[in-house]
Coordinates of all heavy atoms in Angstrom, one line a residue:
M1 N 0.5 -45.1 -224.6 CA -0.2 -46.0 -223.8 C -1.3 -45.3 -223.0 O -1.1 -44.2 -222.4 CB 0.8 -46.7 -222.8 CG 0.1 -47.7 -221.9 SD 1.4 -48.5 -220.8 CE 0.4 -49.8 -220.1
S2 N -2.4 -45.9 -222.9 CA -3.6 -45.3 -222.2 C -4.1 -46.3 -221.2 O -4.1 -47.5 -221.4 CB -4.7 -45.0 -223.2 OG -5.8 -44.5 -222.6
V3 N -4.5 -45.8 -220.1 CA -5.0 -46.6 -219.0 C -6.5 -46.5 -219.0 O -7.1 -45.5 -219.4 CB -4.4 -46.2 -217.6 CG1 -2.9 -46.4 -217.6 CG2 -4.7 -44.8 -217.3
D4 N -7.2 -47.5 -218.5 CA -8.6 -47.5 -218.3 C -9.0 -47.2 -216.9 O -8.1 -47.2 -216.0 CB -9.2 -48.8 -218.9 CG -8.7 -50.0 -218.2 OD1 -7.9 -49.9 -217.2 OD2 -9.1 -51.1 -218.6
E5 N -10.3 -47.1 -216.6 CA -10.7 -46.8 -215.3 C -10.4 -47.9 -214.3 O -10.0 -47.6 -213.1 CB -12.2 -46.6 -215.3 CG -12.6 -45.3 -215.9 CD -14.1 -44.9 -215.8 OE1 -14.8 -45.7 -215.0 OE2 -14.5 -43.9 -216.4
S6 N -10.4 -49.1 -214.7 CA -10.1 -50.2 -213.7 C -8.6 -50.2 -213.3 O -8.3 -50.5 -212.2 CB -10.4 -51.6 -214.3 OG -9.6 -51.9 -215.5
T7 N -7.8 -49.8 -214.3 CA -6.3 -49.6 -214.0 C -6.1 -48.5 -213.0 O -5.3 -48.6 -212.0 CB -5.5 -49.4 -215.2 OG1 -5.7 -50.5 -216.1 CG2 -4.0 -49.3 -214.9
V8 N -6.8 -47.4 -213.2 CA -6.8 -46.2 -212.3 C -7.2 -46.7 -210.9 O -6.5 -46.4 -209.9 CB -7.6 -45.1 -212.7 CG1 -7.7 -44.0 -211.7 CG2 -7.1 -44.5 -214.1
R9 N -8.3 -47.4 -210.8 CA -8.7 -47.9 -209.5 C -7.7 -48.9 -208.8 O -7.5 -48.8 -207.6 CB -10.1 -48.5 -209.6 CG -11.2 -47.6 -210.0 CD -12.5 -48.3 -210.1 NE -13.5 -47.5 -210.8 CZ -14.2 -46.5 -210.2 NH1 -13.9 -46.1 -209.0 NH2 -15.1 -45.8 -210.9
R10 N -7.1 -49.7 -209.6 CA -6.1 -50.7 -209.1 C -4.9 -49.9 -208.6 O -4.4 -50.3 -207.6 CB -5.8 -51.7 -210.2 CG -4.8 -52.7 -209.7 CD -4.8 -53.9 -210.6 NE -4.0 -55.0 -210.0 CZ -2.7 -55.2 -210.3 NH1 -2.1 -54.4 -211.1 NH2 -2.1 -56.2 -209.7
V11 N -4.4 -49.0 -209.4 CA -3.2 -48.2 -209.0 C -3.5 -47.5 -207.7 O -2.7 -47.4 -206.7 CB -2.8 -47.2 -210.1 CG1 -1.7 -46.2 -209.5 CG2 -2.2 -48.0 -211.3
A12 N -4.7 -46.9 -207.6 CA -5.1 -46.2 -206.3 C -5.2 -47.1 -205.2 O -4.7 -46.8 -204.1 CB -6.5 -45.5 -206.6
K13 N -5.7 -48.3 -205.4 CA -5.8 -49.3 -204.3 C -4.4 -49.7 -203.9 O -4.1 -49.8 -202.7 CB -6.5 -50.5 -204.8 CG -6.7 -51.6 -203.7 CD -7.5 -52.8 -204.2 CE -7.6 -53.8 -203.1 NZ -8.3 -55.0 -203.5
L14 N -3.5 -50.0 -204.8 CA -2.1 -50.4 -204.5 C -1.4 -49.2 -203.8 O -0.5 -49.5 -202.9 CB -1.3 -50.7 -205.8 CG -1.7 -52.0 -206.5 CD1 -1.0 -52.1 -207.8 CD2 -1.4 -53.2 -205.6
A15 N -1.7 -48.0 -204.1 CA -1.1 -46.8 -203.4 C -1.8 -46.5 -202.1 O -1.4 -45.6 -201.4 CB -1.1 -45.6 -204.4
R16 N -2.9 -47.2 -201.9 CA -3.7 -47.0 -200.7 C -4.2 -45.5 -200.7 O -4.1 -44.8 -199.7 CB -2.9 -47.3 -199.4 CG -2.6 -48.8 -199.3 CD -2.0 -49.1 -198.1 NE -1.9 -50.6 -198.0 CZ -0.9 -51.2 -197.4 NH1 0.0 -50.6 -196.7 NH2 -0.9 -52.6 -197.4
I17 N -4.7 -45.1 -201.8 CA -5.3 -43.8 -202.0 C -6.8 -44.0 -202.2 O -7.2 -44.7 -203.1 CB -4.7 -43.0 -203.2 CG1 -3.2 -42.8 -202.9 CG2 -5.4 -41.7 -203.4 CD1 -2.5 -42.3 -204.1
A18 N -7.6 -43.3 -201.4 CA -9.1 -43.3 -201.6 C -9.4 -42.5 -202.8 O -9.1 -41.3 -202.8 CB -9.8 -42.9 -200.3
V19 N -10.1 -43.1 -203.8 CA -10.5 -42.4 -205.0 C -12.0 -42.4 -205.1 O -12.6 -43.5 -205.2 CB -9.8 -42.9 -206.2 CG1 -10.3 -42.3 -207.5 CG2 -8.3 -42.8 -206.1
E20 N -12.6 -41.3 -205.2 CA -14.0 -41.2 -205.4 C -14.3 -41.4 -206.9 O -13.4 -41.2 -207.8 CB -14.6 -39.8 -205.0 CG -14.3 -39.5 -203.5 CD -15.1 -40.4 -202.6 OE1 -16.2 -40.8 -202.9 OE2 -14.6 -40.7 -201.5
D21 N -15.5 -41.8 -207.3 CA -15.9 -42.1 -208.6 C -15.7 -40.9 -209.5 O -15.2 -41.0 -210.7 CB -17.4 -42.5 -208.7 CG -17.6 -43.9 -208.1 OD1 -16.6 -44.7 -208.0 OD2 -18.8 -44.2 -207.8
H22 N -16.0 -39.7 -209.0 CA -15.8 -38.5 -209.9 C -14.4 -38.1 -210.1 O -14.1 -37.3 -211.0 CB -16.6 -37.3 -209.2 CG -16.0 -36.8 -207.9 ND1 -16.4 -37.4 -206.7 CD2 -15.2 -35.8 -207.7 CE1 -15.7 -36.8 -205.8 NE2 -15.0 -35.8 -206.3
E23 N -13.4 -38.7 -209.4 CA -12.0 -38.4 -209.5 C -11.3 -39.3 -210.5 O -10.2 -39.0 -211.0 CB -11.3 -38.5 -208.2 CG -11.8 -37.5 -207.1 CD -11.2 -37.8 -205.8 OE1 -11.2 -39.0 -205.3 OE2 -10.6 -36.9 -205.2
V24 N -11.9 -40.4 -210.9 CA -11.3 -41.4 -211.7 C -10.9 -40.8 -213.1 O -9.8 -41.0 -213.6 CB -12.2 -42.6 -211.9 CG1 -11.6 -43.6 -212.9 CG2 -12.3 -43.3 -210.6
A25 N -11.8 -40.1 -213.7 CA -11.5 -39.5 -215.1 C -10.3 -38.6 -215.0 O -9.5 -38.6 -215.9 CB -12.7 -38.8 -215.6
K26 N -10.3 -37.7 -214.0 CA -9.1 -36.8 -213.9 C -7.8 -37.5 -213.7 O -6.8 -37.2 -214.3 CB -9.4 -35.8 -212.7 CG -8.2 -34.8 -212.6 CD -8.5 -33.9 -211.4 CE -7.3 -33.0 -211.2 NZ -7.1 -32.4 -209.9
L27 N -7.8 -38.5 -212.8 CA -6.6 -39.3 -212.6 C -6.2 -40.1 -213.8 O -5.0 -40.3 -214.0 CB -6.9 -40.3 -211.4 CG -7.0 -39.6 -210.0 CD1 -7.3 -40.6 -208.9 CD2 -5.7 -38.9 -209.7
K28 N -7.2 -40.6 -214.6 CA -6.9 -41.3 -215.8 C -6.1 -40.4 -216.7 O -5.0 -40.8 -217.3 CB -8.2 -41.8 -216.5 CG -7.9 -42.5 -217.8 CD -9.3 -42.8 -218.5 CE -9.1 -43.5 -219.8 NZ -8.2 -42.9 -220.7
G29 N -6.5 -39.1 -216.9 CA -5.8 -38.2 -217.7 C -4.3 -37.9 -217.2 O -3.4 -37.9 -217.9
E30 N -4.2 -37.8 -215.9 CA -2.9 -37.6 -215.3 C -2.0 -38.8 -215.5 O -0.8 -38.6 -215.8 CB -3.1 -37.3 -213.8 CG -3.7 -35.9 -213.5 CD -3.9 -35.6 -212.1 OE1 -3.5 -36.4 -211.2 OE2 -4.5 -34.5 -211.8
L31 N -2.5 -40.0 -215.3 CA -1.7 -41.2 -215.5 C -1.3 -41.3 -216.9 O -0.1 -41.7 -217.2 CB -2.4 -42.4 -215.0 CG -2.5 -42.6 -213.5 CD1 -3.3 -43.9 -213.1 CD2 -1.1 -42.8 -212.9
D32 N -2.2 -41.0 -217.8 CA -1.9 -41.1 -219.3 C -0.7 -40.1 -219.6 O 0.2 -40.4 -220.3 CB -3.1 -40.7 -220.1 CG -4.1 -41.9 -220.2 OD1 -3.7 -43.0 -220.0 OD2 -5.3 -41.6 -220.5
A33 N -0.8 -38.9 -219.0 CA 0.3 -37.9 -219.2 C 1.6 -38.4 -218.7 O 2.7 -38.2 -219.3 CB -0.1 -36.6 -218.6
I34 N 1.6 -39.0 -217.5 CA 2.8 -39.5 -216.9 C 3.4 -40.6 -217.8 O 4.6 -40.6 -218.1 CB 2.6 -40.0 -215.5 CG1 2.2 -38.9 -214.5 CG2 3.8 -40.8 -215.0 CD1 1.7 -39.3 -213.2
L35 N 2.6 -41.5 -218.2 CA 3.1 -42.6 -219.1 C 3.6 -42.1 -220.4 O 4.6 -42.6 -221.0 CB 2.0 -43.7 -219.3 CG 1.6 -44.5 -218.0 CD1 0.4 -45.4 -218.3 CD2 2.8 -45.3 -217.5
A36 N 3.0 -41.1 -221.0 CA 3.4 -40.5 -222.2 C 4.8 -39.9 -222.0 O 5.7 -40.0 -222.9 CB 2.5 -39.4 -222.7
F37 N 5.0 -39.2 -220.9 CA 6.3 -38.6 -220.6 C 7.4 -39.7 -220.4 O 8.5 -39.6 -220.9 CB 6.3 -37.8 -219.3 CG 7.5 -37.1 -219.0 CD1 8.1 -36.1 -219.8 CD2 8.3 -37.5 -217.9 CE1 9.3 -35.5 -219.5 CE2 9.5 -36.8 -217.6 CZ 10.0 -35.9 -218.4
V38 N 7.0 -40.8 -219.8 CA 8.0 -41.9 -219.6 C 8.3 -42.5 -221.0 O 9.5 -42.8 -221.2 CB 7.4 -43.0 -218.7 CG1 8.3 -44.3 -218.7 CG2 7.3 -42.5 -217.3
E39 N 7.4 -42.7 -221.9 CA 7.6 -43.1 -223.2 C 8.6 -42.2 -224.0 O 9.5 -42.6 -224.7 CB 6.4 -43.3 -224.0 CG 5.6 -44.6 -223.6 CD 4.3 -44.7 -224.4 OE1 4.1 -44.1 -225.5 OE2 3.4 -45.5 -223.9
E40 N 8.4 -40.9 -223.8 CA 9.2 -39.9 -224.4 C 10.7 -40.0 -223.8 O 11.6 -39.9 -224.6 CB 8.7 -38.5 -224.1 CG 9.4 -37.4 -224.8 CD 8.7 -36.0 -224.5 OE1 7.5 -36.0 -224.3 OE2 9.5 -35.0 -224.4
L41 N 10.8 -40.2 -222.6 CA 12.1 -40.4 -222.0 C 12.8 -41.7 -222.5 O 14.1 -41.7 -222.6 CB 12.0 -40.5 -220.4 CG 11.7 -39.2 -219.7 CD1 11.6 -39.4 -218.2 CD2 12.8 -38.1 -220.0
S42 N 12.1 -42.7 -222.7 CA 12.7 -44.0 -223.2 C 13.3 -43.8 -224.6 O 14.1 -44.7 -225.0 CB 11.6 -45.1 -223.2 OG 10.6 -44.9 -224.1
E43 N 12.9 -42.8 -225.3 CA 13.5 -42.6 -226.6 C 14.9 -41.9 -226.6 O 15.5 -41.9 -227.6 CB 12.5 -41.7 -227.5 CG 11.2 -42.3 -227.7 CD 10.2 -41.4 -228.4 OE1 10.6 -40.3 -228.7 OE2 9.0 -41.8 -228.6
L44 N 15.3 -41.4 -225.4 CA 16.6 -40.7 -225.3 C 17.7 -41.7 -225.4 O 17.6 -42.9 -224.9 CB 16.7 -40.0 -224.0 CG 15.7 -38.8 -223.8 CD1 15.8 -38.3 -222.4 CD2 16.0 -37.7 -224.8
D45 N 18.8 -41.3 -226.0 CA 20.0 -42.1 -226.1 C 20.8 -41.8 -224.8 O 21.4 -40.7 -224.6 CB 20.8 -41.7 -227.3 CG 22.1 -42.5 -227.5 OD1 22.2 -43.6 -226.8 OD2 23.0 -42.1 -228.2
V46 N 21.0 -42.8 -224.0 CA 21.7 -42.7 -222.7 C 23.0 -43.5 -222.7 O 23.6 -43.7 -221.7 CB 20.8 -43.0 -221.5 CG1 19.7 -42.0 -221.4 CG2 20.3 -44.4 -221.6
D47 N 23.4 -44.0 -223.9 CA 24.7 -44.7 -223.9 C 25.8 -43.8 -223.5 O 25.9 -42.7 -223.9 CB 24.9 -45.2 -225.4 CG 24.0 -46.3 -225.8 OD1 23.4 -47.0 -224.9 OD2 23.8 -46.5 -227.0
G48 N 26.6 -44.3 -222.6 CA 27.8 -43.6 -222.1 C 27.4 -42.7 -220.9 O 28.3 -42.0 -220.4
V49 N 26.2 -42.6 -220.5 CA 25.8 -41.7 -219.4 C 25.9 -42.6 -218.1 O 25.3 -43.6 -218.0 CB 24.4 -41.2 -219.5 CG1 24.0 -40.4 -218.3 CG2 24.2 -40.4 -220.8
E50 N 26.7 -42.1 -217.2 CA 27.0 -42.8 -215.9 C 25.7 -42.7 -215.0 O 25.1 -41.6 -214.9 CB 28.2 -42.2 -215.2 CG 29.5 -42.4 -215.9 CD 29.9 -43.9 -215.9 OE1 29.7 -44.6 -214.8 OE2 30.4 -44.4 -216.9
P51 N 25.4 -43.7 -214.4 CA 24.3 -43.7 -213.4 C 24.7 -42.7 -212.3 O 25.8 -42.6 -211.9 CB 24.1 -45.1 -212.9 CG 24.9 -45.9 -213.8 CD 25.9 -45.1 -214.5
M52 N 23.7 -42.0 -211.7 CA 23.9 -41.1 -210.6 C 22.9 -41.2 -209.5 O 21.8 -41.7 -209.8 CB 24.0 -39.7 -211.1 CG 22.8 -39.3 -212.0 SD 23.1 -37.7 -212.9 CE 22.9 -36.5 -211.7
T53 N 23.3 -40.9 -208.3 CA 22.4 -40.9 -207.2 C 21.8 -39.6 -206.8 O 21.0 -39.5 -206.0 CB 23.1 -41.5 -206.0 OG1 24.2 -40.7 -205.7 CG2 23.6 -43.0 -206.2
G54 N 22.3 -38.5 -207.4 CA 21.8 -37.2 -207.1 C 22.2 -36.3 -208.2 O 23.0 -36.6 -209.2
V55 N 21.8 -35.0 -208.2 CA 22.1 -34.1 -209.2 C 23.4 -33.3 -209.0 O 23.9 -32.7 -209.9 CB 20.9 -33.0 -209.4 CG1 19.7 -33.7 -209.8 CG2 20.7 -32.3 -208.1
T56 N 23.9 -33.4 -207.8 CA 25.2 -32.8 -207.6 C 26.2 -33.9 -207.3 O 26.0 -34.8 -206.5 CB 25.2 -31.8 -206.4 OG1 24.7 -32.5 -205.2 CG2 24.3 -30.6 -206.7
P57 N 27.4 -33.8 -207.8 CA 28.5 -34.8 -207.6 C 28.9 -34.7 -206.1 O 29.4 -33.6 -205.7 CB 29.6 -34.4 -208.6 CG 29.4 -33.0 -208.9 CD 27.9 -32.7 -208.7
V58 N 28.8 -35.8 -205.4 CA 29.2 -35.8 -204.0 C 30.1 -37.0 -203.9 O 29.8 -38.1 -204.3 CB 28.0 -36.0 -203.1 CG1 28.5 -36.1 -201.6 CG2 27.1 -34.8 -203.2
S59 N 31.3 -36.8 -203.3 CA 32.1 -38.0 -203.0 C 32.1 -38.3 -201.5 O 32.1 -37.4 -200.7 CB 33.6 -37.6 -203.4 OG 34.1 -36.6 -202.6
I60 N 31.9 -39.6 -201.3 CA 31.8 -40.0 -199.9 C 33.2 -40.3 -199.3 O 34.0 -41.0 -200.0 CB 30.9 -41.3 -199.8 CG1 29.6 -41.0 -200.4 CG2 30.9 -41.8 -198.4 CD1 28.7 -42.2 -200.5
R61 N 33.5 -39.7 -198.2 CA 34.7 -40.0 -197.6 C 34.7 -41.4 -197.0 O 33.9 -41.7 -196.2 CB 35.0 -38.9 -196.5 CG 35.2 -37.6 -197.0 CD 35.6 -36.6 -196.0 NE 35.1 -36.9 -194.6 CZ 35.0 -36.0 -193.7 NH1 35.4 -34.8 -193.8 NH2 34.5 -36.4 -192.5
L62 N 35.6 -42.2 -197.4 CA 35.7 -43.6 -196.9 C 36.9 -43.7 -196.0 O 37.9 -43.1 -196.1 CB 35.8 -44.5 -198.1 CG 34.7 -44.5 -199.1 CD1 35.0 -45.4 -200.3 CD2 33.4 -44.9 -198.5
R63 N 36.7 -44.6 -195.0 CA 37.8 -44.9 -194.2 C 38.2 -46.4 -194.4 O 37.4 -47.1 -194.9 CB 37.5 -44.6 -192.7 CG 36.3 -45.5 -192.2 CD 36.1 -45.3 -190.7 NE 34.9 -45.9 -190.2 CZ 34.8 -47.2 -190.0 NH1 35.7 -48.1 -190.3 NH2 33.6 -47.7 -189.6
E64 N 39.4 -46.7 -194.0 CA 39.8 -48.1 -194.1 C 39.0 -48.9 -193.2 O 38.7 -48.6 -192.0 CB 41.3 -48.2 -193.7 CG 41.9 -49.5 -194.1 CD 43.4 -49.6 -193.8 OE1 44.0 -48.5 -193.7 OE2 43.9 -50.7 -193.6
D65 N 38.5 -50.1 -193.7 CA 37.7 -51.0 -192.9 C 38.6 -51.9 -192.1 O 39.2 -52.9 -192.6 CB 36.8 -51.8 -193.8 CG 35.8 -52.6 -193.0 OD1 35.6 -52.4 -191.8 OD2 35.1 -53.5 -193.7
V66 N 38.8 -51.5 -190.8 CA 39.8 -52.2 -189.9 C 39.0 -52.7 -188.7 O 38.3 -51.9 -188.1 CB 40.9 -51.3 -189.5 CG1 41.9 -52.0 -188.6 CG2 41.6 -50.8 -190.7
V67 N 39.2 -53.9 -188.3 CA 38.6 -54.5 -187.2 C 39.5 -54.2 -186.0 O 40.7 -54.4 -186.0 CB 38.4 -56.0 -187.3 CG1 37.8 -56.6 -186.0 CG2 37.5 -56.4 -188.5
T68 N 38.9 -53.6 -184.9 CA 39.6 -53.3 -183.7 C 38.9 -53.9 -182.5 O 37.7 -54.2 -182.6 CB 39.8 -51.8 -183.5 OG1 38.5 -51.2 -183.3 CG2 40.4 -51.1 -184.7
D69 N 39.6 -53.9 -181.4 CA 38.9 -54.5 -180.2 C 38.5 -53.3 -179.3 O 38.1 -53.6 -178.1 CB 39.9 -55.4 -179.5 CG 41.2 -54.6 -179.0 OD1 41.3 -53.4 -179.3 OD2 42.0 -55.3 -178.4
G70 N 38.4 -52.1 -179.8 CA 38.0 -51.0 -179.0 C 39.2 -50.4 -178.2 O 39.1 -49.4 -177.5
E71 N 40.3 -51.1 -178.3 CA 41.6 -50.7 -177.7 C 41.6 -50.6 -176.2 O 42.7 -50.7 -175.6 CB 42.0 -49.3 -178.3 CG 42.3 -49.4 -179.8 CD 42.7 -48.1 -180.4 OE1 43.1 -47.2 -179.6 OE2 42.6 -48.0 -181.6
N72 N 40.5 -50.4 -175.5 CA 40.5 -50.4 -174.1 C 39.2 -51.0 -173.5 O 38.2 -50.4 -173.4 CB 40.6 -48.9 -173.6 CG 40.8 -48.8 -172.1 OD1 40.5 -49.7 -171.4 ND2 41.2 -47.6 -171.7
A73 N 39.3 -52.3 -173.3 CA 38.1 -53.1 -172.9 C 37.5 -52.5 -171.6 O 36.3 -52.5 -171.4 CB 38.5 -54.5 -172.7
E74 N 38.4 -52.1 -170.7 CA 37.8 -51.6 -169.4 C 37.0 -50.4 -169.6 O 35.9 -50.2 -169.0 CB 39.0 -51.3 -168.5 CG 38.6 -51.1 -167.0 CD 37.9 -52.3 -166.4 OE1 38.4 -53.5 -166.7 OE2 36.9 -52.1 -165.7
R75 N 37.4 -49.5 -170.4 CA 36.7 -48.2 -170.7 C 35.4 -48.5 -171.5 O 34.4 -47.9 -171.2 CB 37.6 -47.3 -171.5 CG 36.9 -45.9 -171.7 CD 37.9 -44.9 -172.2 NE 37.2 -43.8 -172.7 CZ 37.5 -43.2 -173.8 NH1 38.5 -43.5 -174.6 NH2 36.8 -42.1 -174.2
V76 N 35.5 -49.5 -172.4 CA 34.3 -49.8 -173.2 C 33.2 -50.5 -172.3 O 32.0 -50.2 -172.5 CB 34.7 -50.8 -174.3 CG1 33.5 -51.4 -175.0 CG2 35.6 -50.1 -175.4
L77 N 33.6 -51.2 -171.3 CA 32.7 -52.0 -170.5 C 32.3 -51.2 -169.2 O 31.5 -51.7 -168.4 CB 33.3 -53.3 -170.1 CG 33.4 -54.3 -171.3 CD1 34.3 -55.5 -170.9 CD2 32.1 -54.8 -171.7
E78 N 32.7 -50.0 -169.0 CA 32.4 -49.2 -167.8 C 30.9 -49.1 -167.5 O 30.5 -49.3 -166.4 CB 33.0 -47.8 -167.9 CG 34.4 -47.7 -167.6 CD 35.0 -46.2 -167.8 OE1 34.2 -45.4 -168.3 OE2 36.1 -46.0 -167.4
N79 N 30.1 -48.9 -168.6 CA 28.7 -48.7 -168.3 C 27.9 -50.0 -168.7 O 26.7 -49.9 -168.7 CB 28.2 -47.5 -169.2 CG 28.8 -46.2 -168.7 OD1 28.9 -46.0 -167.5 ND2 29.1 -45.4 -169.7
A80 N 28.5 -51.1 -168.8 CA 27.8 -52.3 -169.1 C 27.0 -52.7 -167.9 O 27.5 -52.7 -166.8 CB 28.8 -53.4 -169.5
P81 N 25.7 -53.1 -168.1 CA 24.9 -53.5 -167.0 C 25.4 -54.8 -166.4 O 25.3 -55.1 -165.2 CB 23.5 -53.7 -167.6 CG 23.7 -53.7 -169.0 CD 25.0 -53.0 -169.4
A82 N 26.0 -55.7 -167.2 CA 26.5 -56.9 -166.7 C 27.7 -57.3 -167.6 O 27.7 -57.1 -168.8 CB 25.5 -58.0 -166.8
R83 N 28.7 -57.8 -167.0 CA 29.9 -58.2 -167.8 C 30.5 -59.5 -167.2 O 30.3 -59.8 -166.0 CB 30.9 -57.1 -167.8 CG 31.6 -56.8 -166.5 CD 32.5 -55.6 -166.5 NE 33.8 -56.0 -166.9 CZ 34.9 -55.2 -167.0 NH1 34.7 -54.0 -166.6 NH2 36.0 -55.7 -167.3
E84 N 31.3 -60.2 -168.0 CA 32.0 -61.3 -167.6 C 33.4 -61.2 -168.2 O 33.6 -61.4 -169.4 CB 31.3 -62.6 -168.0 CG 31.9 -63.9 -167.4 CD 31.1 -65.1 -167.8 OE1 29.9 -65.1 -167.5 OE2 31.7 -66.0 -168.5
G85 N 34.4 -60.9 -167.4 CA 35.7 -60.6 -167.9 C 35.7 -59.4 -168.8 O 35.2 -58.4 -168.4
D86 N 36.2 -59.6 -170.0 CA 36.2 -58.4 -171.0 C 35.0 -58.5 -172.0 O 35.1 -58.1 -173.1 CB 37.5 -58.4 -171.7 CG 38.7 -57.9 -170.8 OD1 38.4 -57.3 -169.8 OD2 39.8 -58.2 -171.2
F87 N 33.9 -59.1 -171.6 CA 32.8 -59.3 -172.4 C 31.5 -58.8 -171.8 O 31.3 -58.8 -170.6 CB 32.6 -60.8 -172.8 CG 33.8 -61.4 -173.4 CD1 34.7 -62.1 -172.7 CD2 34.1 -61.3 -174.8 CE1 35.9 -62.7 -173.3 CE2 35.2 -61.8 -175.4 CZ 36.1 -62.5 -174.6
F88 N 30.6 -58.4 -172.7 CA 29.2 -58.0 -172.3 C 28.5 -59.3 -172.0 O 28.6 -60.3 -172.7 CB 28.5 -57.2 -173.4 CG 29.0 -55.8 -173.6 CD1 29.9 -55.6 -174.6 CD2 28.5 -54.8 -172.9 CE1 30.3 -54.3 -174.8 CE2 28.9 -53.5 -173.1 CZ 29.8 -53.2 -174.1
V89 N 27.6 -59.3 -170.9 CA 26.7 -60.4 -170.7 C 25.3 -59.9 -171.1 O 24.8 -58.8 -170.7 CB 26.7 -60.7 -169.2 CG1 25.6 -61.8 -168.9 CG2 28.1 -61.2 -168.8
V90 N 24.7 -60.6 -172.0 CA 23.4 -60.3 -172.5 C 22.4 -61.4 -172.3 O 22.8 -62.6 -172.2 CB 23.5 -59.9 -174.1 CG1 24.3 -58.7 -174.3 CG2 24.0 -61.1 -174.9
P91 N 21.1 -61.1 -172.3 CA 20.1 -62.2 -172.1 C 20.1 -63.1 -173.3 O 20.3 -62.7 -174.4 CB 18.8 -61.4 -172.0 CG 19.1 -60.0 -172.1 CD 20.5 -59.8 -172.3
K92 N 19.8 -64.3 -173.0 CA 19.7 -65.3 -174.1 C 18.4 -65.1 -174.8 O 17.4 -65.0 -174.2 CB 19.7 -66.7 -173.5 CG 19.8 -67.8 -174.5 CD 19.9 -69.2 -173.8 CE 20.1 -70.3 -174.7 NZ 20.3 -71.6 -174.0
V93 N 18.5 -65.0 -176.2 CA 17.3 -64.7 -177.0 C 16.9 -65.9 -177.9 O 15.8 -65.9 -178.4 CB 17.4 -63.4 -177.8 CG1 17.5 -62.2 -176.9 CG2 18.7 -63.5 -178.7
V94 N 17.8 -66.8 -178.1 CA 17.6 -67.9 -178.9 C 17.8 -69.2 -178.1 O 18.8 -69.4 -177.5 CB 18.5 -67.9 -180.2 CG1 18.2 -69.2 -181.0 CG2 18.3 -66.7 -181.0
E95 N 16.8 -70.1 -178.1 CA 17.0 -71.4 -177.4 C 17.8 -72.4 -178.2 O 17.8 -72.4 -179.4 CB 15.6 -72.0 -177.1 CG 14.8 -71.1 -176.2 CD 15.4 -71.1 -174.8 OE1 16.1 -72.0 -174.3 OE2 15.3 -70.0 -174.1

């Protein structure tokens, strides 16, 4: 796949990159090379390859999702600027 000069200018505009007229030809070649590499990658057989988020296997330590009340309302509310009973008082933001 080959890109034309108008496509180079459009990609530059979308990327918010200022491109001078003399740079368009060089960028056209670079975009053509990138697209050729993507086409080459699309030919690979990836059946059975698990998706990954990084190059090193990392397991995330998970904790049980348990709702608690903070166990000590008095301690939780010690620094509250305003409170009513065991609750924070906050300014009204929605009418």
Side-chain angles (χ1 to χ4, degrees):
M1 177 179 191
S2 180
V3 296
D4 57 4
E5 288 188 7
S6 66
T7 303
V8 172
R9 292 181 196 282
R10 184 163 186 265
V11 169
K13 181 179 178 182
L14 291 172
R16 295 184 173 152
I17 299 172
V19 175
E20 301 293 328
D21 290 339
H22 66 276
E23 298 173 306
V24 173
K26 180 182 178 201
L27 290 174
K28 180 184 177 309
E30 291 177 6
L31 284 175
D32 284 338
I34 292 168
L35 292 174
F37 182 67
V38 170
E39 285 181 17
E40 188 178 325
L41 288 176
S42 68
E43 296 172 4
L44 294 174
D45 179 21
V46 293
D47 289 338
V49 177
E50 292 291 322
M52 50 193 283
T53 58
V55 294
T56 57
V58 177
S59 61
I60 299 173
R61 294 186 327 200
L62 300 176
R63 63 173 170 76
E64 189 176 339
D65 190 10
V66 178
V67 177
T68 66
D69 62 358
E71 298 180 15
N72 187 341
E74 195 58 42
R75 187 166 164 225
V76 171
L77 292 166
E78 279 177 350
N79 293 320
R83 67 183 274 186
E84 188 174 302
D86 288 342
F87 302 98
F88 288 95
V89 175
V90 296
K92 187 175 185 178
V93 293
V94 178
E95 294 295 327

